[in-house]
Amino acid sequence: METPRSVNDFRRIILFPLPFQGHINPMLQLANILHARGFNITIIHAEYNSPNPSNYPHFTFKPIKDRFLEIAHQLPTNRNGAYFVEYLNKSCVDPFRDCLAGMLAEPGEEKVACLIADGGFYFTQAVADDLKLPRIVHRTSSLGCGLAYDALPFNSIKDWFYLTKEDSDYEASVPEYPLLRIKDIIKMTNYPQSMGDFLTNMLNQMKASSGIIWNTFKELEESALETISQDFPVPSFTLGPFHKYFPASSSSLIEQDRTVLSWLDKQPPKSVIYVSFGSVAHITESEFQEVAHGLDNIGLPFLWVVRPGIVIGSEWLEALPENFLERMGDRGRIVKWSPQQEVLGHPATGCFWTHSGWNSTMESICEEVPMICSPCFGDQPINARHVSEVWKIGVLLEDGFESVGIEKAIKRVMMDKEGEEMRERISCLKEKLNLSLEEGGSSSQSLNNLVDYISSF
Ligand code: UDP
C-alpha cells in the first residue's frame, strides 16, 4: 500500500517559463497543478513580460536580468521569433545560473527536487547538469509537433524557402511528415536558418533531459504517443489540458476586456464568430482588411480581438475599412484582449477563427467550439493540419487571408451540415478529454506518474 506523504516530504520545484503569453499561461497552470499535489513552487522568470506575482501569492517569484531591452526596439519590425528566443538563450545564461545556484546553496531543510524549464530555454540543460539538478522539459506544443519537428529535414527547408505558389513543389507533401505540405514548412520557418538552429538545439536538449511534460491528452494523440518514445528516449507525461484542473486563471499580460461577456449574453446560441490570432502573430494591413471584409459580408455577429500592434505598421484599428465600425454597429465587438477561455465557454460562441496556437486549439476543443484556422508560423501550421485533416473539427484557410475563402470557410462551419459533423466530432473529443481528467483516466494517471517520478529524485 502507498504510504501517504507527510509535510516533511514536501519539496520545492523550480519552474522557468519562456516570457511569452502562450508559454507563461500553461507553465503557471502546471505550477498550480503541482502545488496542489504538495510541492512548493518557485518561478524564475525573465524581466521581459514578467508575470504578476500578486495573482500567485502561494508561489515565490525570482526575476532575472534578461537584457531584453537591448533588442526590444526591433520587436515591431522583426518577425523572426527564433532570433529573440536564441538571444534569450544567450543573455539569460549567467543570471539564470547565478539565481539557481544561489537557491540551491540556501541553508534550510527544504530540498529542490528538480527544474522544470520551457523547452525553448534549451540552455538550461547544461546549467542543470553543472549543478547536478534533474531538468524536466515543459513543451508547450502538441506531441504531433514534437514528432514533426524531429522529422523535418532542415537542409531541404533552406531550399524550399525560395519556392513560390507557382512552383509545382509548393503544394506537395513533405516526405518525412506527409500530413504537412511544403507551403506549411515555408510558413513555419519565416527565417529558416535561425529557426533550424533553434529547433535543433531545443530537440537535442529535450532528448538530454530527465523527462518531458506535454500539455495534451493521450486520447487526442494516441498514435503520436506510441511513437514519441522512439524519438525522445526519456519519459513523456501527457497530463493536459492543464487549464481544466482549475477555474479560468489570470496570467494575462494584457488587461482582459470582460465587458464582452455581457455582450455575448445578448447573442443567440452558437451565433458568434470569435476571432483571435493570439499574443505574438502579426498580420499585414491588407490581411487585416480582408478579415474585416469577410466579417462584414457574412452578416453574423462577431467578437474580434485586435491586439495593439498586431497589424504591422498600425497602432490599433487605423487600417480598418472606412466606416467599418459604424456599419457594424452592435453586430460586432472589437477588443484589445478577451477572457478567451470564458468566451469559448459561452453558449453564444459558434466558432473560433484562430491562428492555431496550441493553447487556443486545446481551449477550443475543451469548449467544443469548431475552428477556422489561419496559422501564421511555428507549430501553428501543424496544429491547423491536425484540426482540419486528422480530427476534422475545423477548416483551414488554404489561401491565407482572402475574403472569398473566409466567407466560404465561415459558411462551412457555421451554416452547413459539415459544421454539424464537426460539432459532433469535437463533442466526442471533449467527452474523452473529461474522462482523461477523472481518477483513473489517462491524464490523471500521467500526473500521478509525474508526481511519483519527481518524488523519486
Ligand atoms: N488569450 C487570451 N485572450 C485573448 C487572446 C488569447 O486570454 O484575447 C490567451 C489564450 O487563452 C491562450 C493564449 O492567450 O491561452 C495564447 O496562446 P496560444 O498558444 O494560443 O498562442 P500564442 O499567443 O502563443 O501564439
Side-chain angles (χ1 to χ4, degrees):
M1 208 178 98
E2 212 178 303
T3 328
R5 281 153 53 94
S6 75
V7 170
N8 295 335
D9 294 322
F10 286 2
R11 293 201 287 177
R12 184 162 294 276
I13 299 178
I14 298 172
L15 296 97
F16 186 38
L18 208 59
F20 299 102
Q21 186 76 75
H23 294 250
I24 291 170
N25 286 1
M27 188 66 108
L28 289 173
Q29 290 154 4
L30 176 63
N32 265 334
I33 294 169
L34 293 169
H35 183 263
R37 297 298 293 257
F39 292 100
N40 292 325
I41 300 293
T42 295
I43 310 281
I44 300 182
H45 62 91
E47 284 181 316
Y48 174 69
N49 277 346
S50 163
N52 183 353
S54 64
N55 290 335
Y56 298 89
H58 47 310
F59 298 164
T60 304
F61 285 84
K62 300 242 179 202
I64 56 165
K65 297 238 172 283
D66 49 34
R67 301 210 328 262
F68 199 83
L69 279 180
E70 288 173 18
I71 56 160
H73 62 280
Q74 298 179 28
L75 268 174
T77 47
N78 191 333
R79 298 172 88 185
N80 182 356
Y83 166 80
F84 291 106
V85 183
E86 284 281 286
Y87 176 87
L88 287 172
N89 267 285
K90 293 183 179 70
S91 69
C92 288
V93 176
D94 290 339
F96 177 78
R97 184 193 291 112
D98 292 348
C99 180
L100 188 57
M103 286 182 64
L104 296 177
E106 269 169 27
E109 302 262 305
E110 190 185 48
K111 268 190 73 178
V112 174
C114 67
L115 166 70
I116 300 183
D118 192 292
F121 271 139
Y122 57 79
F123 81 87
T124 55
Q125 185 62 46
V127 176
D129 285 345
D130 275 356
L131 296 172
K132 305 205 169 8
L133 186 67
R135 166 188 180 254
I136 298 183
V137 169
H138 169 218
R139 186 68 193 115
T140 52
S141 71
S142 64
L143 293 169
C145 170
L147 293 179
Y149 278 170
D150 206 43
L152 292 184
F154 289 114
N155 287 334
S156 323
I157 286 174
K158 286 167 202 147
D159 303 333
W160 293 340
F161 188 63
Y162 301 101
L163 296 178
T164 63
K165 279 183 182 169
E166 284 66 48
D167 290 298
S168 57
D169 282 347
Y170 189 76
E171 293 280 345
S173 281
V174 178
E176 292 81 359
Y177 200 86
L179 180 64
L180 291 177
R181 317 264 182 91
I182 287 176
K183 67 176 180 182
D184 297 328
I185 308 287
I186 295 169
K187 193 168 265 185
M188 280 159 65
T189 56
N190 240 342
Y191 293 79
Q193 182 66 52
S194 43
M195 187 75 172
D197 292 348
F198 166 65
L199 290 183
T200 306
N201 286 329
M202 181 178 77
L203 294 168
N204 286 342
Q205 299 314 318
M206 283 168 73
K207 291 172 186 174
S209 74
S210 299
I212 309 170
I213 302 170
W214 307 83
N215 187 9
T216 186
F217 61 103
K218 179 183 160 208
E219 290 73 12
L220 184 66
E221 299 197 83
E222 197 118 39
S223 67
L225 187 56
E226 275 163 27
T227 41
I228 203 85
S229 58
Q230 291 155 24
D231 286 26
F232 297 89
V234 293
S236 270
F237 301 92
T238 51
L239 46 129
F242 300 165
H243 74 279
K244 290 310 275 186
Y245 285 75
F246 301 98
S249 57
S250 51
S251 46
S252 266
L253 298 167
I254 308 177
E255 196 185 340
Q256 298 174 336
D257 186 335
R258 301 189 61 82
T259 63
V260 299
L261 297 171
S262 50
W263 178 82
L264 281 170
D265 287 342
K266 289 186 251 148
Q267 312 304 323
K270 297 197 188 335
S271 66
V272 174
I273 307 163
Y274 171 57
V275 190
S276 170
F277 303 128
S279 62
V280 191
H282 291 91
I283 57 176
T284 62
E285 266 192 23
S286 67
E287 289 171 334
F288 180 66
Q289 285 160 354
E290 290 295 301
V291 176
H293 289 310
L295 292 172
D296 189 350
N297 295 344
I298 202 77
L300 293 171
F302 63 86
L303 170 59
W304 184 7
V305 175
V306 181
R307 194 186 76 239
I310 187 176
V311 184
I312 298 162
S314 291
E315 295 268 316
W316 193 35
L317 301 179
E318 305 91 284
L320 275 180
E322 228 178 297
N323 300 326
F324 179 82
L325 291 174
E326 293 79 352
R327 253 198 338 279
M328 293 308 109
D330 202 40
R331 167 156 83 85
R333 279 293 309 272
I334 299 184
V335 295
K336 292 180 175 167
W337 197 246
S338 79
Q340 179 162 302
Q341 289 173 33
E342 288 160 84
V343 168
L344 289 169
H346 195 286
T349 304
C351 82
F352 182 12
W353 182 1
T354 170
H355 69 310
S356 298
W358 185 239
N359 295 293
S360 293
T361 305
M362 285 293 271
E363 290 161 12
S364 211
I365 293 174
C366 289
E367 303 304 337
E368 306 171 80
V369 179
M371 286 162 262
I372 296 168
C373 304
S374 287
C376 297
F377 68 93
D379 63 338
Q380 297 155 16
I382 306 175
N383 302 334
R385 289 276 170 217
H386 278 84
V387 165
S388 58
E389 289 173 34
V390 179
W391 305 316
K392 299 186 173 32
I393 52 174
V395 298
L396 170 59
L397 287 175
E398 290 281 357
D399 297 320
F401 295 92
E402 169 274 312
S403 65
V404 177
I406 291 170
E407 284 165 51
K408 276 193 197 148
I410 296 177
K411 206 173 149 293
R412 280 171 69 191
V413 177
M414 295 289 277
M415 299 168 194
D416 292 355
K417 181 150 190 310
E418 200 187 347
E420 277 307 308
E421 290 162 2
M422 289 176 200
R423 267 173 226 287
E424 280 165 27
R425 283 191 283 269
I426 204 164
S427 295
C428 206
L429 278 182
K430 192 203 165 161
E431 242 169 70
K432 290 182 181 169
L433 175 161
N434 285 343
L435 285 175
S436 81
L437 292 168
E438 282 178 15
E439 209 183 321
S442 64
S443 290
S444 156
Q445 194 52 50
S446 191
L447 172 59
N448 288 341
N449 295 345
L450 175 66
V451 170
D452 289 347
Y453 187 59
I454 295 176
S455 304
S456 73
F457 289 141

